[in-house]
Amino acid sequence: MEKIVIIMPTYNESENIGPMIHELFEKEFPRIKNASMHLLVVDDNSPDGTGEIVKEASKKYKNLHLLSGQKQGLGMAYVRGMKYAMKKLSADAVIEMDADFQHPPKFVKPMVEAYLNGADYVIGSRYIPGGSVPKEWAIHRRAISYLGNLFIRFVLLKPRLHDLTTGFRLTKVKGVLDKIELDNLMELKRFAYKVDLLYQSVKNAKKVKEVPLQFAPRTKEASKFSMKEMVSTFKVAIILGIKDKIRFLKFATVGFVGFVVNFLFLRVFRSIGLGEVFVWLMATEMAIISNYTFNNIWTFKEAKISGFVTTAKKFLQFNLTSAGALIIQSVFGPLGVRVVGERYDYLVLAFVVAFMVLPYNYFMYNVFIWKTWKP
Ligand code: GDD
Ligand code: MN
């Protein structure tokens, strides 16, 4: 049976945590048939005694766990909880959930069902049909939340997802969570780590599903969210958004350098009197070497390939990929010229390079050579 651990960070939630534990263990968990449900409370030594309440309750519920620590911010609490859930509890999936009933416990079940039906990342979404934000929220608060989400969808190029800042999500461990370097997430002291975690998870996940969440108002204790948290959330989104584009720009620059190298070596080899076919072959290979090297140490430095055997293997693959680009050009070049006429061969070349060769190379590099995308 699948083991699912709800990770619930708490800081001064003494009024909420008791009823929350009760509702989960007495009402919600029994409704979930095909999974073994656990609750892991990550409390940062709340001065109001939240931890003691959990400790007391764990005598009654064997699937209730308490992890106490110093207060280091929300992201750090989650990272601690996730490591513990994976290593100590051998969780198959984890759920991020607030303790203050803003994530009503009745929404756990549909989330688990989506997972059992094959989704490896499930997002509790306020912005799909069936989901909502509290009706108590004033219009400006709704607007900020909605527009903020819209903005993040736009900068992260995630138009198909509707709620990127929700705090209620399920993540499968194998293949998704266990592939993420949790300690390296951005803004771990803040709520903004959530955007980075979502971004990495969506990248790793094979099937992402949004399920409706009716986000409830907080009735007890105070929210820890603030203007600072919001600003850092936008900051993380913008940095992540740019990061992807920066990689593409580096890739394009390396491609241009390769073109120059190709051209220079044509002249060099020709000047030393080599045969013309050989000249082209050698010059092209020089460009390939230049492309491979600079992409490896610059464009894809986070996924840098090293070691003699791996390099040899990858370089061979890289040559095959480059041969593919050559084939694309020699098929679509002549075809294009036939359509628009020889006079416009430079347009055909520009078109084939920009819309076929570049995307092809970028895709092959990301998927097969440096494996930074998982299709
Ligand atoms: N351990 C620990 N340490 N828990 C914390 C900390 C911390 O530093 N800060 C907050 N928490 C806990 C709270 O006790 C609560 O259970 C949960 O994290 C969410 O905190 P809230 O203070 O209730 O946040 P919110 O309701 O304003 O923010 C909600 O919306 C955000 C934006 O959509 C949450 O759902 C966030 O997760 C979400 O990012
Ligand atoms: Mn809250």
Side-chain angles (χ1 to χ4, degrees):
M1 192 144 64
E2 293 289 305
K3 186 172 186 179
I4 299 176
V5 178
I6 297 179
I7 302 175
M8 187 172 281
T10 52
Y11 194 72
N12 287 347
E13 301 285 2
S14 61
E15 286 186 49
N16 286 315
I17 195 66
M20 175 55 80
I21 292 171
H22 183 83
E23 191 157 332
L24 284 174
F25 280 91
E26 297 296 337
K27 201 166 148 209
E28 294 308 322
F29 289 174
R31 293 205 303 139
I32 300 171
K33 298 291 177 229
N34 301 314
S36 154
M37 299 301 299
H38 287 245
L39 175 63
L40 170 63
V41 177
V42 186
D43 182 59
D44 288 354
N45 295 332
S46 300
D48 73 348
T50 302
E52 277 74 60
I53 296 171
V54 179
K55 206 182 281 169
E56 192 53 36
S58 66
K59 290 176 187 157
K60 186 171 173 197
Y61 305 114
K62 70 168 180 19
N63 286 8
L64 173 62
H65 317 268
L66 171 67
L67 189 61
S68 303
Q70 296 298 315
K71 184 159 166 53
Q72 294 170 294
L74 186 61
M76 292 295 277
Y78 266 116
V79 166
R80 266 189 1 250
M82 285 172 169
K83 286 182 177 169
Y84 188 88
M86 286 192 281
K87 290 189 191 125
K88 297 276 168 21
L89 303 177
S90 315
D92 294 300
V94 301
I95 293 177
E96 292 161 74
M97 185 175 175
D98 295 351
D100 59 357
F101 285 91
Q102 288 201 269
H103 301 149
K106 68 171 182 193
F107 290 102
V108 172
K109 188 170 189 258
M111 183 167 261
V112 169
E113 276 163 359
Y115 167 70
L116 294 175
N117 287 330
D120 48 5
Y121 193 57
V122 188
I123 297 172
S125 177
R126 298 163 291 182
Y127 299 110
I128 58 172
S132 58
V133 296
K135 19 179 212 318
E136 290 80 353
W137 276 14
I139 186 87
H140 72 274
R141 188 146 179 215
R142 286 166 187 261
I144 290 173
S145 176
Y146 184 76
L147 293 175
N149 249 299
L150 204 64
F151 174 77
I152 297 173
R153 278 165 76 186
F154 178 74
V155 291
L156 292 184
L157 294 177
K158 295 275 177 274
R160 275 181 308 214
L161 298 180
H162 300 83
D163 196 340
L164 293 98
T165 55
T166 178
F168 189 49
R169 309 182 294 208
L170 178 148
T171 314
K172 183 177 177 162
V173 170
K174 194 163 180 282
V176 186
L177 192 62
D178 63 2
K179 292 252 160 66
I180 298 174
E181 292 179 37
L182 294 170
D183 294 318
N184 292 343
L185 289 175
M186 296 162 71
E187 295 282 357
L188 274 179
K189 292 197 169 56
R190 303 200 167 279
F191 284 57
Y193 84 94
K194 269 190 192 301
V195 176
D196 196 8
L197 188 58
L198 171 121
Y199 186 73
Q200 313 288 343
S201 304
V202 168
K203 246 186 195 171
N204 293 347
K206 290 186 188 71
K207 191 175 165 200
V208 179
K209 177 108 176 54
E210 276 183 293
V211 294
L213 164 67
Q214 287 161 3
F215 197 53
R218 191 190 249 273
T219 53
K220 296 193 184 74
E221 316 262 3
S223 164
K224 284 96 197 165
F225 198 74
S226 64
M227 192 68 191
K228 253 191 186 157
E229 303 293 350
M230 198 165 75
V231 170
S232 85
T233 299
F234 288 138
K235 197 180 91 187
V236 168
I238 291 169
I239 292 174
L240 286 173
I242 293 174
K243 250 189 185 166
D244 258 17
K245 274 139 220 124
I246 282 187
R247 174 163 286 167
F248 188 80
L249 287 178
K250 287 180 175 176
F251 156 83
T253 310
V254 170
F256 180 72
V257 170
F259 169 79
V260 174
V261 167
N262 200 331
F263 176 76
L264 289 179
F265 274 97
L266 272 181
R267 296 288 163 97
V268 170
F269 290 135
R270 203 177 281 136
S271 72
I272 55 176
L274 298 174
E276 191 61 15
V277 173
F278 200 59
V279 165
W280 279 88
L281 214 70
M282 293 283 290
T284 308
E285 193 56 37
M286 287 302 170
I288 290 175
I289 292 173
S290 155
N291 284 351
Y292 179 83
T293 310
F294 290 121
N295 276 321
N296 194 38
I297 60 177
W298 192 44
T299 318
F300 294 96
K301 66 167 184 278
E302 289 85 3
K304 193 151 98 202
I305 295 155
S306 53
F308 184 74
V309 179
T310 330
T311 301
K313 208 181 86 189
K314 284 287 177 184
F315 183 63
L316 200 77
Q317 268 183 25
F318 191 82
N319 270 276
L320 288 176
T321 305
S322 307
L326 216 65
I327 292 172
I328 292 178
Q329 282 206 36
S330 50
V331 169
F332 291 98
L335 216 68
V337 166
R338 194 181 300 168
V339 175
V340 299
E342 227 176 86
R343 267 203 306 160
Y344 298 112
D345 60 351
Y346 59 95
L347 284 181
V348 172
L349 180 67
F351 182 86
V352 171
V353 168
F355 294 105
M356 302 174 102
V357 173
L358 283 183
Y360 162 82
N361 274 336
Y362 198 57
F363 178 84
M364 297 303 270
Y365 295 177
N366 274 293
V367 174
F368 293 109
I369 309 288
W370 284 280
K371 296 193 194 287
T372 38
W373 292 351
K374 280 143 205 105

